[in-house]
Amino acid sequence: MDYLDNYLNFSNGKTSPSRNIDGKYKVFGSNGIIGSSDECNSKARTIVIGRVGAYCGSVHFSEEECWITDNAISVSCKNEGEEYFWYYLLKSLDLNNFRTGSGQPLLNQSILKSISINVPSEHIIRANIGVSLSIFDQKIELNTQINQTLEQIAQTIFKSWFIDFDPVTAKAEAIAQGKTAQQANFSAMAVISGKTFEELDRLQAEKPTEYQQLWELAEAFPSGFEGDIPKGWKIAKIEDVIKKIPVGKKYSSKTVSSEGLVPVLDQGRSGLIGYHNDKAGVQASIEEPVIVFANHTCYMRLITYDFSAIQNVFAFIGKETNVLWTYLATIGKQEFTEYKGHFPDFLIKEIIVPNKELTELLGKRVKPLFDKIAVNELENKSLAETRDLLLPKLLSGEL
């Protein structure tokens, strides 16, 4: 009988170094990435296993050099080139089931080394299985990068309209120069669309419906300021803008399964702790998404599917504002300072709020971007499921 010890080297991580936002190396804790640092203690293509706490047994992979803290275990292969294979195999073993301790769950090197396995005897077969499965993760990573770009585009539009006030400024400057309200609106249209006046004239001739929609959008912006903010807009605390949504029954690592119908959101960067087969705590969809805020880590996400959550994951939408506008207006407002409850601090942060019509117009403008993000996330889920189904078939020689 084979054991993990025959193929893998295990070593405990070290105390976390000083962390900073712009650090070159990712820092891994018990449940994945917890920050970044300018120091590293592990080579590229290292497997990371959570060592203590509710997430002990979670398995992660670092393509690049990184720092592994003392809450995790570093894993390297005795046969170079098998890193992907062992990463996927370890993920399939549900290592959390091997934990010891009741008060503080623990997974140590001795336990890991003694786990029995049945794997192909030839190095080249193990390496090829790993490479084959990694193709799925490469596509998942590509979709993830595309989604980041799509959201950045949405954030750029939001910043132009509601932080830099570009359309309002264009109108105000035009009026200050003695131009008519119609000419001022034309200036705002140029700023919103990124088109020159000549291009706008062509747009009017060739695509009058699109031109009219752009005209109405520009017309919705005020043409001046009251103090530092556009006329008719207001400054409000986030708690006065959002509507909190009860998440129902709170789940934990002990009450979820590795498979199920309803995903359970947690506070980590991956955002998922497991599944259950009961009724979802929150209903969400692509047409009616819900925003979630992780109390201790400050991670925010826009969720487009039914879900439940663990303790300290809060869900909300806008009271009277479009949910996509609300998401873009609030994301990043609360920075992580230390592992504590941040939601009360988040609620009292102030944001500039326009009229409801403009929040809906922004939502309409960026919705195709977020729709594509949701589609990519669904594809990633399907790719991951296919990858995980393939592993046992490849191990058995069925494929």
Side-chain angles (χ1 to χ4, degrees):
M1 182 173 289
D2 269 342
Y3 298 91
L4 289 180
D5 188 38
N6 296 334
Y7 299 93
L8 301 174
N9 300 309
F10 299 92
S11 61
N12 288 356
K14 298 181 179 180
T15 303
S16 178
S18 298
R19 284 182 258 166
N20 59 76
I21 296 175
D22 302 319
K24 180 180 178 181
Y25 304 104
K26 294 175 182 176
V27 178
F28 284 83
S30 185
N31 192 35
I33 299 169
I34 58 174
S36 59
S37 173
D38 293 325
E39 302 177 60
C40 69
N41 66 355
S42 300
K43 64 181 182 179
R45 292 194 173 186
T46 293
I47 302 167
V48 185
I49 299 176
R51 189 179 67 85
V52 296
Y55 300 108
C56 71
S58 64
V59 182
H60 305 274
F61 191 87
S62 179
E63 288 281 3
E64 302 170 342
E65 293 178 300
C66 64
W67 186 284
I68 299 176
T69 71
D70 51 3
N71 285 331
I73 294 173
S74 173
V75 184
S76 62
C77 299
K78 294 183 178 179
N79 295 300
E80 189 174 348
E82 297 183 9
E83 291 82 7
Y84 290 132
F85 172 81
W86 291 107
Y87 166 63
Y88 296 118
L89 184 78
L90 289 169
K91 282 177 67 71
S92 74
L93 292 178
D94 291 328
L95 295 176
N96 187 260
N97 292 331
F98 294 90
R99 68 187 183 275
T100 61
S102 54
Q104 176 75 310
L106 174 69
L107 194 64
N108 59 39
Q109 294 183 44
S110 296
I111 294 173
L112 292 169
K113 290 177 180 179
S114 65
I115 294 175
S116 61
I117 52 173
N118 183 17
V119 298
S121 59
E122 296 183 30
H123 158 72
I124 188 63
I125 295 177
R126 296 193 298 270
N128 285 342
I129 289 175
V131 170
S132 297
L133 295 175
S134 72
I135 293 172
F136 289 87
D137 277 349
Q138 290 171 18
K139 175 57 177 172
I140 290 172
E141 177 61 24
L142 177 60
N143 282 345
T144 301
Q145 292 174 359
I146 291 172
N147 283 357
Q148 291 171 349
T149 299
L150 292 171
E151 183 162 324
Q152 287 170 0
I153 293 171
Q155 290 174 348
T156 298
I157 295 171
F158 180 89
K159 182 175 183 293
S160 173
W161 293 13
F162 300 108
I163 296 178
D164 297 335
F165 313 131
D166 290 336
V168 179
T169 299
K171 279 187 169 184
E173 290 179 349
I175 290 175
Q177 294 168 6
K179 295 181 179 179
T180 66
Q182 185 173 3
Q183 290 171 323
N185 207 56
F186 203 58
S187 296
M189 291 170 67
V191 166
I192 292 169
S193 65
K195 297 181 183 295
T196 64
F197 292 155
E198 292 77 12
E199 289 172 332
L200 287 174
D201 287 336
R202 286 199 298 273
L203 181 68
Q204 184 177 23
E206 298 170 2
K207 298 179 179 180
T209 301
E210 185 177 330
Y211 178 89
Q212 182 61 30
Q213 291 173 344
L214 181 57
W215 175 273
E216 292 172 358
L217 172 58
E219 199 171 35
F221 285 91
S223 56
F225 293 85
E226 290 178 341
D228 294 329
I229 66 173
K231 291 180 180 178
W233 297 11
K234 63 181 180 180
I235 298 175
K237 293 180 179 178
I238 290 176
E239 64 183 347
D240 296 325
V241 177
I242 67 171
K243 175 183 177 182
K244 287 182 277 189
I245 299 175
V247 298
K249 177 182 175 180
K250 308 290 197 310
Y251 288 81
S252 70
S253 61
K254 296 180 179 179
T255 57
V256 298
S257 303
S258 58
E259 297 178 351
L261 298 176
V262 180
V264 179
L265 306 186
D266 72 356
Q267 299 194 76
R269 189 181 293 267
S270 64
L272 189 65
I273 191 175
Y275 299 85
H276 68 75
N277 290 314
D278 300 323
K279 183 179 178 180
V282 180
Q283 277 71 51
S285 66
I286 292 178
E287 295 304 318
E288 296 184 359
V290 171
I291 306 162
V292 295
F293 179 95
N295 191 26
H296 291 125
T297 61
C298 300
Y299 291 139
M300 284 182 62
R301 299 171 62 198
L302 189 70
I303 306 300
T304 57
Y305 48 81
D306 296 348
F307 66 92
S308 293
I310 67 168
Q311 189 77 22
N312 286 310
V313 172
F314 299 96
F316 63 91
I317 57 175
K319 279 183 183 177
E320 298 181 353
T321 54
N322 178 276
V323 65
L324 298 180
W325 181 93
T326 306
Y327 173 70
L328 293 169
T330 57
I331 187 170
K333 284 296 181 181
Q334 180 60 50
E335 294 184 357
F336 174 86
T337 54
E338 58 181 300
Y339 198 77
K340 66 168 190 175
H342 290 86
F343 196 57
D345 295 333
F346 170 74
L347 291 176
I348 61 174
K349 291 290 190 296
E350 292 183 333
I351 57 176
I352 297 173
V353 185
N355 57 55
K356 182 180 179 182
E357 178 191 7
L358 270 172
T359 73
E360 294 294 345
L361 288 169
L362 184 279
K364 183 178 179 181
R365 187 65 170 262
V366 301
K367 187 177 185 301
L369 301 173
F370 284 101
D371 285 352
K372 177 59 176 172
I373 289 173
V375 169
N376 285 344
E377 288 178 342
L378 286 173
E379 183 181 19
N380 282 356
K381 182 175 183 292
S382 177
L383 287 166
E385 290 172 350
T386 302
R387 177 201 64 207
D388 295 342
L389 286 172
L390 281 175
L391 178 58
K393 295 181 181 294
L394 291 168
L395 287 174
S396 67
E398 184 178 341
L399 292 177

